[in-house]
Amino acid sequence: QVQLVESGGGSVQAGGSLKLACAASGYSFTSNAMAWFRQAPGKEREGVAAIYTGFYRGGGSIYYADSAKRRFTISHDNTTNTLYLEMNDLRPDDTAMYYCAAGGDVHVGRIMPKVFPYWGQGTQVTVSS
């Protein structure tokens, strides 16, 4: 059974940093992507960053949403199967529930939630001005 468990969320002031982690168990996707999504109250879930963790089908390829470029860094530790999202220069509009997802793909540079079958429960990130 696939399990994704996020951690690392919290409350920070604008300009601060957080590093999210997602511990994955029960699977080993060598040809799919893992990703971070976020959802703010009243808004749709949006892709933030994705990484192909295997050696095939673009292994190591990384994608970012425009809002995450130059501020967020996605990475994956193959030995522990843990996905990370390092977030710097956080802004109030980064406030959202952040979710880890696995088993999906990135299509034409777009990170879409509907193609990811496995999800964690989320971790809250709150950025105050």
Side-chain angles (χ1 to χ4, degrees):
Q1 183 176 355
V2 176
Q3 277 196 316
L4 303 173
V5 180
E6 301 98 333
S7 62
S11 297
V12 296
Q13 290 190 325
S17 300
L18 284 173
K19 187 172 184 177
L20 307 182
C22 171
S25 61
Y27 89 98
S28 179
F29 294 116
T30 58
S31 60
N32 292 96
M34 296 184 73
W36 287 99
F37 291 82
R38 68 185 183 185
Q39 188 166 19
K43 295 188 177 181
E44 294 186 354
R45 192 168 295 189
E46 62 173 351
V48 175
I51 182 170
Y52 278 84
T53 59
F55 295 103
Y56 306 100
R57 292 191 61 210
S61 295
I62 290 175
Y63 301 86
Y64 292 103
D66 287 344
S67 60
K69 289 178 181 176
R70 292 177 293 279
R71 298 190 301 129
F72 294 1
T73 302
I74 189 172
S75 61
H76 180 260
D77 185 334
N78 288 336
T79 60
T80 62
N81 207 4
T82 301
L83 183 72
Y84 296 99
L85 183 69
E86 184 170 2
M87 305 185 293
N88 297 310
D89 191 24
L90 284 162
R91 307 165 183 167
D93 60 3
D94 292 317
T95 295
M97 185 71 78
Y98 283 71
Y99 297 91
C100 170
D105 282 293
V106 177
H107 298 284
V108 199
R110 295 181 63 193
I111 309 166
M112 297 180 292
K114 63 182 180 180
V115 300
F116 283 80
Y118 302 106
W119 291 85
Q121 294 300 306
T123 186
Q124 177 69 36
V125 172
T126 302
V127 184
S128 58
S129 57

